[in-house]
Amino acid sequence: MKKLWHFLIKPSSRYSVLAIAVVCVLITLAGVFTFHKSIEFTSTNEFCTACHSMKENYNEYKTSIHFKNAYGVRAQCRDCHIPENNPIAFMKAKLGGIGDIYSEFIGKDIDTPKKFEENRLRMAQNVWKMMKDTNSATCKSCHSYSAMDHAKQSPAAAAAMTGAAAKDMNCIECHKGIAHQLPHINNDFQATFKQLSINAAKAPEASTLYSLTSKQLFVKDAASDDAQGQLYPASEVKVVGQSGDMLKVELTGWEIKGSTAGMLVQDMAKQIQIASIAPELQKTQKVLNTQTATDGQVWQQVQVAAWMTQRDMLASIKPIWGYGKEILDASCNQCHATPDPKHLTANAWVDGLKAMQQYYKLDKNEERVLLKYLQAHAKDAPAETAAEQATE
């Protein structure tokens, strides 16, 4: 024992084992402290958004409910992207961050907005895989199924979350795009639009036509910069004349009596917009019918005559509904199952689609076609529309 003790306290003429051990412990503690602080620093929003390519992601996050909400609770980057209770997933997430740094400064494949968009799907899929592998552990560190009070949720949310809780579902199955814009996964509908537009380069010889896009309306038989109205996509018109490349059409719709807004809708008391009419065109309208809605609002059915160019008009509404369904499938099933249009009424779809705007990327025309498709096949759509849908 004496020899062992002598070795421990004085293994050499210069240092004792205890002294060496103390130094080793101090170095280890310093290393652990440095590692911890490095991990902590590299997990802050400031560090995560320091790269140019992450600025756009940060701007998208600032428009989301995770940044600003009624409860004043703000999720940081690490709260969603780093599963801290799973050491292996934690290290994978940190190594993935190193990969992003490589892509920014060495690979140069996400260092411009254009390149970033080209790689958005790849990066999103990496995050979705991490969440799938961990069963959305980062989400559930804040959102616990057992802590949810379904009585305080909307009926639709309560029904969805009750089923999800029973299966302990992965949150990302329904909530992709909750903090950042979604990548375009399927753009086939754009190819469909291109082909439809080629087919509609000149209006077919038919008495009834349907608009593929928004169309300017004019009082006279010549297109100019001074349009007096706008016809919206998937709207019906009657052809009553032609002058060169211009068609004279009649459109029939409903408006609130006495309103100066100049907005015509397809059916009384429904927000299915078909055209906006400026004062010059309003002067030409004829009142066909006057009715009082169930809420006491007085509506009048009017007919307006206007001129417009021939292109982007089709003889059937069916191709436009097919195009609208493609937009619906491509835009909605990235986050969840494609909703049934009959889930909501025509008016409810206006707010329903507006609530989803931050989760899809559509231009104004695509958005209007999508809304019109949902409204035309909504819960309160006429029976003939449902029959038409069944034959598509």
Side-chain angles (χ1 to χ4, degrees):
M1 290 295 296
K2 288 184 178 180
K3 288 183 178 181
L4 176 61
W5 177 249
H6 180 75
F7 172 76
L8 290 175
I9 62 173
K10 198 169 184 180
S12 70
S13 59
R14 192 165 186 179
Y15 301 110
S16 69
V17 170
L18 289 178
I20 294 173
V22 169
V23 170
C24 289
V25 168
L26 292 175
I27 292 174
T28 300
L29 290 175
V32 170
F33 178 80
T34 302
F35 177 77
H36 174 74
K37 285 298 179 181
S38 298
I39 291 294
E40 190 176 78
F41 173 72
T42 57
S43 300
T44 62
N45 281 13
E46 291 74 19
F47 180 85
C48 292
T49 59
C51 296
H52 171 75
S53 60
M54 292 297 115
K55 295 295 185 185
E56 187 59 32
N57 261 354
Y58 184 60
N59 289 333
E60 293 168 3
Y61 150 73
K62 288 198 294 185
T63 66
S64 76
I65 197 170
H66 279 102
F67 183 82
K68 193 170 186 178
N69 50 69
Y71 304 100
V73 178
R74 180 170 295 170
Q76 304 296 314
C77 298
R78 66 182 298 162
D79 296 326
C80 298
H81 290 276
I82 304 177
E84 299 189 0
N85 294 329
N86 185 322
I88 295 175
F90 176 89
M91 292 310 300
K92 282 184 177 179
K94 297 305 293 183
L95 290 173
I98 294 174
D100 289 338
I101 293 174
Y102 177 88
S103 293
E104 167 81 16
F105 296 104
I106 301 174
K108 299 288 186 182
D109 52 5
I110 60 171
D111 61 330
T112 68
K114 184 175 183 297
K115 291 180 182 178
F116 188 90
E117 285 303 320
E118 291 171 350
N119 285 276
R120 185 187 282 269
L121 176 58
R122 172 183 61 78
M123 293 186 291
Q125 287 174 331
N126 289 338
V127 175
W128 297 339
K129 184 179 184 305
M130 178 274 289
M131 291 189 168
K132 181 180 179 181
D133 291 344
T134 62
N135 196 26
S136 296
T138 54
C139 304
K140 292 175 182 177
S141 65
C142 291
H143 305 282
S144 169
Y145 284 129
S146 61
M148 291 181 183
D149 185 347
H150 299 309
K152 294 181 179 179
Q153 298 174 332
S154 69
M161 295 308 298
T162 300
K167 300 175 184 177
D168 192 24
M169 280 178 62
N170 179 3
C171 305
I172 206 67
E173 289 183 46
C174 298
H175 294 287
K176 291 175 183 173
I178 194 68
H180 302 291
Q181 289 183 10
L182 283 166
H184 276 310
I185 294 180
N186 183 350
N187 290 342
D188 288 349
F189 67 84
Q190 293 178 341
T192 297
F193 173 80
K194 185 177 181 180
Q195 186 58 55
L196 288 175
S197 187
I198 291 172
N199 296 343
K202 185 177 180 180
E205 294 182 4
S207 59
T208 300
L209 297 176
Y210 301 89
S211 50
L212 176 61
T213 67
S214 294
K215 301 272 297 177
Q216 289 186 322
L217 299 173
F218 306 92
V219 173
K220 299 180 180 180
D221 59 345
S224 69
D225 293 334
D226 188 21
Q228 286 81 41
Q230 187 176 40
L231 181 71
Y232 296 131
S235 297
E236 178 184 307
V237 298
K238 301 293 183 183
V239 180
V240 296
Q242 182 175 347
S243 176
D245 187 49
M246 302 293 289
L247 295 177
K248 186 175 184 180
V249 299
E250 288 180 346
L251 47 148
T252 303
W254 291 82
E255 64 180 7
I256 297 174
K257 186 176 181 180
S259 172
T260 59
M263 182 62 67
L264 299 187
V265 296
Q266 183 174 298
D267 302 309
M268 181 179 68
K270 291 185 180 180
Q271 299 177 49
I272 308 176
Q273 298 179 351
I274 60 175
S276 58
I277 307 297
E280 286 298 309
L281 269 181
Q282 283 181 303
K283 293 176 184 177
T284 71
Q285 69 184 28
K286 295 185 297 184
V287 178
L288 305 179
N289 192 5
T290 301
Q291 291 186 25
T292 302
T294 54
D295 62 357
Q297 186 76 60
V298 180
W299 289 77
Q300 58 185 20
Q301 186 182 37
V302 300
Q303 186 179 79
V304 178
W307 290 85
M308 67 181 188
T309 58
Q310 287 199 41
R311 71 167 298 110
D312 292 327
M313 300 298 295
L314 299 172
S316 171
I317 192 66
K318 287 186 178 181
I320 300 176
W321 288 156
Y323 168 52
K325 188 173 189 313
E326 286 187 31
I327 298 175
L328 176 66
D329 291 339
S331 301
C332 296
N333 66 12
Q334 296 182 41
C335 300
H336 48 68
T338 302
D340 184 349
K342 294 187 182 303
H343 180 64
L344 298 174
T345 63
N347 286 350
W349 271 120
V350 176
D351 290 333
L353 195 59
K354 190 178 295 183
M356 294 292 106
Q357 280 180 332
Q358 62 176 312
Y359 306 127
Y360 60 74
K361 288 183 176 181
L362 298 175
D363 64 30
K364 199 64 181 176
N365 193 75
E366 292 165 346
E367 190 174 63
R368 283 173 171 162
V369 172
L370 173 57
L371 176 59
K372 208 75 167 284
Y373 171 80
L374 292 168
Q375 292 178 310
H377 301 87
K379 182 189 297 185
D380 55 347
E384 58 266 24
T385 304
E388 176 189 278
Q389 185 184 28
T391 61
E392 288 179 7

